[in-house]
Amino acid sequence: MPEPWPGDRSPESREPASIVPASPLAVTFPAALQDLEDRIHAALAPVDPSLVLIFGDPSDGLSHLGAGLHARFGPGCRIVGCSSAGEIGPHGYASDSVVALGFPAASFRIGICVLRNQSQVPVSGWMASLRRLHAEFRPDPRRSIFGVLLADALARQEDVLVATLDAAIPGLPIVGGSTAKGMNFLPTCQMVDGREQRDAALFLLMETDLAVSEVSFAHFRPTDRRAVVTAADPHNRIIWELNAEPAAEEYARLAGIPCDSLTATEFARHPLLLRTGRRHHVRAIRALTPGAGLQLLSGIEEGNILTLGRAVDMTQGFADAMDGLPRPPLMVLGFDCILRRLALERAGMAGQMSQLFARYRVAGFNTYGEQHSGMHVNQTFVGVALMSPEGG
């Protein structure tokens, strides 16, 4: 059986937690802690990390913290981080905190590609950089390999990014999250080795001797109510018309809600689903626009057929998905939509989900969009479970 998850210890403890050899380690500290750099280094140094991931918005600045840790750990350890809408630490949901994850060099090899100028969408340049990274990385076929994408949510280019990644490195499992700062969708802060990366997406290629399994869970099922997007602004992700009617009015009719009662809560309860292949993916509504439009958190185009979704049990469904893993995870690197967290908090169930996150050793952050299986989605939990090798 795995050793106790480090989060079972007090987050104020300065002693390194007991962990499975060569398994990842996650720690959480208050964002305003003055000796944050010292405490993260003390907690993660025993695992000799090749990568430290940092999620949150420390009071002294993410880049400042990253630079200090890069100097402490040395050139053999990469420091990568981003701001978030909320964190997931060893005790579950956290706020105004910094979550640091250490990936031991004994079991993890890391490659990093900064995909710059997101707003200009230089797909050819991204493609060349990704192919060069993969070729120079020279993956070991005897080990597991996966990718992690941290995208700037305000650039609104996640659909292009995931398509580019899928074309550049076919067959690679990739999970990720769209980052912004806080609950007010403020400008993203991203960092590599202490250097701030503006208008960029960060891609990590990770190879490990642990077993790897992708995880995806959306707590919605399709209904029989559908609508065709008859007018849209794809660049700004706005639907102007559904079924040739003002989008907000037609959405309210389909959901059975008075138009003047449309709120973020109702949008979260009744999402729009886009079917791709055999699966429905959430196209979450962010807000109403002047002119009765619906602004989404994912791409939309005229002609798309959307289905109204209905919510199912969020906690039991998540537990069932995690219990379906081949073995108990040493850690799950997770990206959880902020709209899911808000819905749980409004339902008084955030504590229950936090307990599940702790039980299944989930660590990560709350996002404004999730990437999985070549798709950019919303209101979904996606992640990668890291498990002991079969027979190991």
Side-chain angles (χ1 to χ4, degrees), residues 190-241:
Q190 297 190 99
M191 171 273 297
V192 176
D193 296 336
R195 295 183 179 180
E196 186 171 353
Q197 306 293 332
R198 296 181 180 273
D199 191 29
L202 310 181
F203 176 70
L204 284 70
L205 192 59
M206 303 181 64
E207 182 187 276
T208 178
D209 56 8
L210 300 179
V212 170
S213 182
E214 291 180 86
V215 180
S216 176
F217 173 69
H219 60 286
F220 296 100
R221 298 292 181 268
T223 67
D224 59 358
R225 283 165 278 182
R226 298 182 180 179
V228 179
V229 178
T230 48
D233 175 356
H235 176 71
N236 292 307
R237 296 175 171 174
I238 296 174
I239 302 175
W240 291 117
E241 289 184 2

Side-chain angles (χ1 to χ4, degrees), residues 88 147-150 162 174-178 213-219 279 281 318 321-322 332-337 340 357 362-367 369-385:
I88 305 170
V148 174
L149 177 66
L150 304 176
V162 293
I174 297 173
V175 297
S178 302
S213 182
E214 291 180 86
V215 180
S216 176
F217 173 69
H219 60 286
R279 298 185 60 184
H281 300 278
F318 180 79
M322 299 304 297
V332 178
L333 176 58
F335 305 94
D336 191 37
C337 183
R340 282 173 38 83
F357 283 156
V362 178
F365 71 95
N366 292 116
T367 70
E370 304 76 56
Q371 292 83 51
H372 173 70
S373 297
M375 292 287 296
H376 172 59
V377 297
N378 302 122
Q379 284 180 264
T380 303
F381 174 94
V382 304
V384 57

